[in-house]
Amino acid sequence: MSLNRPDYIRDDGPIREPIVRLAKMITDRVPQHLGLTKITKEDPEYWALAAIATDQEARIALEMGLRKPRTFAEIKRLSGLDDKTLEDCLSHMSYTGLLEYHWENLDGKNPGHEKRWQVPMFVPGVGEFTNMNADLLEEHPELGRFFERMTFLPLEKVTPMVPPGGAGIGMHVIPVEKAIAMEDHSVSIEHISHWLDKYEGKYAASPCSCRMSRKTYDEGCADDPADWCIAVGDMADYVVETNKGGRYITKEEALEIFQKGEDNGFVHQITNIDGEDKIFAICNCNVNVCYALRTSQLFNTPNMSRSAYVAHVDKEKCVACGRCVEYCPAGALKLGQKLCRADGTEVSYPRQVLPSEHKWGKEMWNENYRDDNRVNSHESGTAPCKTACPAHIAVQGYLKMAAQGRYQEALALIKKNNPLPAICGRICNRRCESECTRGRVDDPVAIDEVKKFLADLDLKEETRYIPKKVVPATKGHFDEKIAIVGAGPAGLSCAFYLAQMGYAPTIFEKNAMPGGMLTYGIPSYKLEKDVILAEVEIIKAMGVEIQYGVEVGKDISLDELRAQGYRGFYLAIGCQGGRGLGLDHEDAEGVMTAVDFLREVGEKKAFDIRGDVVVIGGGNVAIDVARSAGRCGEAKISMFCLESREIMPASSEEIKEAEEEDIQINPGWGPKEILTEDGRVSGVVFKRCIRVFDDQHRFAPEYDEDDTMTVSCRHLFLSVGQSILWGDLLAGSKVELGRGQGAVADPVTYQTAQSDIFVGGDVYTGPSFAIDAIAAGKKAATSLHRFVQPHSTLTIGRNRWEFNMLDKDDIRIDDYDHAGRQEVHYQEGRDPEGRDWKKSFRESKLTFTEDQVRAETARCLSCGASIVDPNRCVGCGICTTKCEFDAITIHRDRPECSEMHVAEDKMKYILPYAAKQAIHIKFGKKK
């Protein structure tokens, strides 16, 4: 990164010598501090001080010296200024952050506790104070980059030599109090409660300087910066009185902020430059912006940050839910496997090399630590169920909870990644089961049936689960308005996760009911509408507004919504149009697309079927059409598709159910001609399809034009694809359309060429499954949150939700429950309307009983587990707050990391440690 000052700084005058001298006095860059390298206008120390200090103020600071507390009388004597001039200077210097003040007597020279001012170091000190002052930062945004540079340049060479405890440099991780409550050997300074008690009654919530700084160069993390830094003691007065955004709070309010920080996965850190007797702040740090955590993460030198504690995973208890991995700030936790390799050996996992083991240089750094720390699994892989699920639900975790009878907790765990579990429990295409390791033994675990059992709690108001909001803002909400167009699975998912983050998004839905294709495209015998409504009610209870009967682009435009204050848009209208074959007579009476047919049947629970039915298509939707037609009248129903039976896109379960309802399936035939009589369809001529895909597996069907057959019918339903009905939604926008008229967008953020418009679900991917749309909705919520918070990065440090699957060919399964897969049962006899259940529009598939759930969950082989790298762990304890299985704890493995020293003594500890380390590296035993 360049040392050059930001381009917008204008300083054409001569260099200011008092500023140069002050920069030299304060800086921790050794060559500059010793005068071996001159300070120039290009140095951040210079251009930052030049922005905030007059030459007179610089001279006052030089007379005071660095970190030497002075009373007013002492400063007056040193400066020779009159009272009024000096008062004005001290006030302004305190406002800018060039001075701090306190009334303490730690040095024994202030028994009367007079107010004393001192020149702080750059970090922690001037860098933080200037960036906490919102007015000053707006006037001089370069101070944001100055703070960043001062946390990097002085440390790039010294960090590998820093001993455990930090040697009086910067900040220090202090663990979650609850995580060490039972630790017999903890010492007082390792407890937040110790510091709160020490400064009883003197607390102020103030803005996080790192969060403020990062926003000045568009790397904000989208948290609200307010109140995350808790100033203690005299510092509380300072941040309140000098425009640092501080406000006095009680101990109870401080504890509430710490709890909110833990809920968000923020790391507690304390200042570490004054020894064991003093701190001046307890921070709640987001690793995506925190400069203190960066010193250990970028330079790969954990001694700079770590506490005395290290995480340990009990693999027997661990269920690879991934919650600890998701929140670990240091990337020390990743998902691996619990099962042994085929030869009986355990999988070994790599550890971070430490400066005490290897000669250090830039090649050992990791400037992409914010992204790399979000990698979810080791390359060797983890549980196939979590990996295969598009939403990466903690399958192994909720199966264990269900086995323990913790049903609502299991439902809560599912909703971390899927807000529509009752819907998915009925219609999911079950990729988790397709990859389930148990399938290598006998049959996969009936994962979806267990989920359906758990999610049915949501169908009753007294047992439904409404998640707690986890808001990265201490005020508990965000005011920015976000509009979602379409109440299908992608839109509902996006709204759910935005609401959980503290927003109150509005969904605009053109139909009279929510659900999109869930409501208007999936037959009610598979998914009854009250199930959809029950899950939507929960989303509404979280603060989401849904406006029905409003078609954006027709009833109101995006520009009009912008004028109403909407800052971001998520377009998730799905593929609600059908596609034709490109043959003559597709407009004949009796010819209809699958989408239109299913919509009418869904609304009316009826359709006037008179005569034989032909359905063209071989996917699940085609089978839905055929089965729905069979419920609308007595008719012969035949399906025709290009694919052979072996490669039909429909699932084997769907095919089996269709055949049980006497639907004839004819694979390997493609339509050649639509026959009509008096304007109505009378039949279809089919030709033999001999090949569907070419050698590159591209769709390129080939036919035997001489091998044909003619099938008579009175109804022809075309299930050969879906289309996007944009209408005028995109009028006047810069959104680009690509293949199939799908929106073109960034594959990570879903942002389109129109910066405030994001897309997701079928309008981006093309027709897919509900679970894919749900997963996309959650990712879009992250993007929208970051977008509507100004100057935030859309990409840095976000969870990419990428997992590797363990090698199922290289595992050993010694012992397992030998029970077979539980069978799904169906209603028998007649439904409440007197229909045969096989012809009913009501759901006939029964939910598992508790006994079935207990038996089925016992079949899980518990493949995955979290793996901790102790060399990366910083001992924050956040992982323990996320684990609901008591599988991860932190232990005081490194007591030496709790040694705290004053900054002035740092070289006393760094130099001997560095020498000892160098000798060890050169002559020690290689690992």
Side-chain angles (χ1 to χ4, degrees), residues 737-756:
L737 300 182
R739 184 178 178 183
Q741 292 298 291
V744 176
D746 183 272
V748 173
T749 67
Y750 300 133
Q751 187 178 38
T752 68
Q754 181 83 45
S755 63
D756 62 351

Side-chain angles (χ1 to χ4, degrees), residues 93-384:
M93 293 166 76
S94 299
Y95 166 85
T96 60
L98 184 54
L99 292 183
E100 59 176 302
Y101 55 73
H102 52 73
W103 292 262
E104 64 194 30
N105 185 34
L106 290 178
D107 59 2
K109 298 178 181 180
N110 192 27
H113 292 280
E114 290 185 68
K115 184 177 183 179
R116 295 193 293 177
W117 289 259
Q118 71 179 35
V119 178
M121 56 178 51
F122 279 140
V123 177
V126 178
E128 284 86 349
F129 300 150
T130 53
N131 279 262
M132 292 165 72
N133 187 329
D135 295 329
L136 183 66
L137 195 60
E138 183 176 4
E139 183 181 357
H140 295 288
E142 67 267 26
L143 294 171
R145 182 60 84 177
F146 154 71
F147 182 24
E148 182 276 325
R149 291 287 76 195
M150 288 298 93
T151 60
F152 184 95
L153 298 174
L155 297 172
E156 57 183 336
K157 290 185 171 61
V158 74
T159 48
M161 298 182 282
V162 174
I169 298 177
M171 305 283 287
H172 188 70
V173 170
I174 187 167
V176 171
E177 183 105 1
K178 294 188 292 290
I180 61 171
M182 304 303 291
E183 177 61 60
D184 294 335
H185 302 292
S186 67
V187 295
S188 60
I189 59 173
E190 296 168 353
H191 292 259
I192 288 178
S193 58
H194 163 78
W195 297 108
L196 292 179
D197 292 343
K198 181 179 179 66
Y199 296 104
E200 184 69 47
K202 290 289 290 288
Y203 320 113
S206 57
C208 168
S209 51
C210 295
R211 289 172 171 90
M212 299 280 279
S213 166
R214 291 277 191 177
K215 290 174 68 175
T216 64
Y217 53 97
D218 297 327
E219 283 193 13
C221 62
D223 300 344
D224 181 347
D227 294 351
W228 291 116
C229 179
I230 309 301
V232 296
D234 293 341
M235 184 57 67
D237 296 319
Y238 175 75
V239 300
V240 170
E241 296 169 355
T242 62
N243 202 49
K244 304 296 185 294
R247 62 181 181 89
Y248 292 115
I249 59 173
T250 64
K251 180 185 286 188
E252 290 69 30
E253 288 175 298
L255 291 171
E256 287 178 8
I257 291 172
F258 293 139
Q259 184 59 59
K260 289 178 180 179
E262 291 169 16
D263 291 346
N264 280 279
F266 300 155
V267 178
H268 305 314
Q269 292 195 95
I270 56 176
T271 53
N272 187 30
I273 60 174
D274 295 297
E276 294 186 355
D277 291 330
K278 177 186 175 181
I279 65 169
F280 55 82
I282 308 172
C283 299
N284 297 278
C285 304
N286 185 326
V287 70
N288 285 337
V289 291
C290 177
Y291 296 132
L293 288 172
R294 180 179 72 166
T295 57
S296 65
Q297 299 302 299
L298 186 151
F299 301 120
N300 273 325
T301 51
N303 281 354
M304 287 293 299
S305 300
R306 62 163 42 128
S307 78
Y309 294 82
V310 178
H312 293 258
V313 174
D314 184 336
K315 289 176 72 172
E316 291 306 308
K317 293 181 179 178
C318 183
V319 294
C321 70
R323 298 285 292 158
C324 60
V325 175
E326 185 179 343
Y327 284 94
C328 177
L333 284 156
K334 288 183 172 56
L335 290 176
Q337 69 184 64
K338 191 181 299 185
L339 300 175
C340 291
R341 295 190 186 279
D343 62 7
T345 60
E346 289 198 7
V347 177
S348 60
Y349 295 97
R351 288 188 177 185
Q352 171 64 46
V353 178
L354 295 174
S356 58
E357 303 167 347
H358 192 282
K359 187 176 179 180
W360 221 247
K362 286 187 177 182
E363 71 280 1
M364 306 302 288
W365 295 1
N366 181 8
E367 297 203 41
N368 293 321
Y369 70 95
R370 289 176 287 177
D371 291 332
D372 291 347
N373 285 3
R374 298 276 63 81
V375 173
N376 288 283
S377 67
H378 282 282
E379 289 184 10
S380 56
T382 189

Side-chain angles (χ1 to χ4, degrees), residues 158-169 171-172 272 301-306 355-356 894 896-901 905-917:
V158 74
T159 48
M161 298 182 282
V162 174
I169 298 177
M171 305 283 287
H172 188 70
N272 187 30
T301 51
N303 281 354
M304 287 293 299
S305 300
R306 62 163 42 128
S356 58
R894 296 190 174 106
E896 69 276 12
C897 289
S898 285
E899 295 179 11
M900 299 176 71
H901 303 289
D905 292 341
K906 59 179 174 284
M907 298 314 292
K908 294 180 183 178
Y909 300 97
I910 290 174
L911 293 177
Y913 182 81
K916 182 180 177 181
Q917 179 173 272

